[in-house]
Amino acid sequence: MLVGAAWAVWHIPVLFVVDSPPAQAPVLFLLQLPVVSVIYGWLYNRTAGSVLFVSVFHATGNAVGVLALEGGLDVAAYIRLEFAVVVVAATALVLVTGMDLGAPSTARVDTPSTRE
């Protein structure tokens, strides 16, 4: 969630772009960023730390948004729908994987230097 909060701060300038979707519903947009960071964290963990995969997923989400808005979906309705989907997905991931989001465990390896 700390990453999500930093990510929200990073995205604040887009709120000042006239007619941008985030500027249409700024509160939901900023609230969804920490939540969606849970999904990105899970993707990162499950792809052995692939920033590329997470970036492609992010770009795909942006493309879906553009297509939905170009198709005539109301901006506020889209952001509400996106927020709901993200909350449900992130909640499901936490319930299924726990707070570690599927990160590999850091098991202690018994080596000669750690034996007593």
Side-chain angles (χ1 to χ4, degrees):
M1 288 296 219
L2 185 60
V3 170
W7 195 27
V9 170
W10 171 266
H11 281 81
I12 285 176
V14 78
L15 300 178
F16 298 102
V17 176
V18 178
D19 294 331
S20 71
Q24 308 276 330
V27 173
L28 277 182
F29 176 74
L30 292 175
L31 286 176
Q32 90 173 5
L33 292 175
V35 179
V36 82
S37 72
V38 170
I39 298 168
Y40 291 165
W42 177 82
L43 285 169
Y44 179 82
N45 289 339
R46 299 302 296 168
T47 59
S50 174
V51 175
L52 176 63
F53 189 83
V54 175
S55 298
V56 168
F57 188 79
H58 182 292
T60 301
N62 288 348
V64 167
V66 168
L67 292 173
L69 296 174
E70 290 294 322
L73 189 61
D74 177 61
V75 173
Y78 173 75
I79 290 179
R80 285 192 304 272
L81 175 63
E82 182 180 44
F83 182 77
V85 168
V86 165
V87 167
V88 169
T91 302
L93 284 173
V94 170
L95 290 174
V96 170
T97 66
M99 289 303 291
D100 66 351
L101 299 174
S105 64
T106 54
R108 181 178 171 200
V109 177
D110 193 24
T111 63
S113 64
T114 60
R115 289 188 193 133
E116 295 179 15

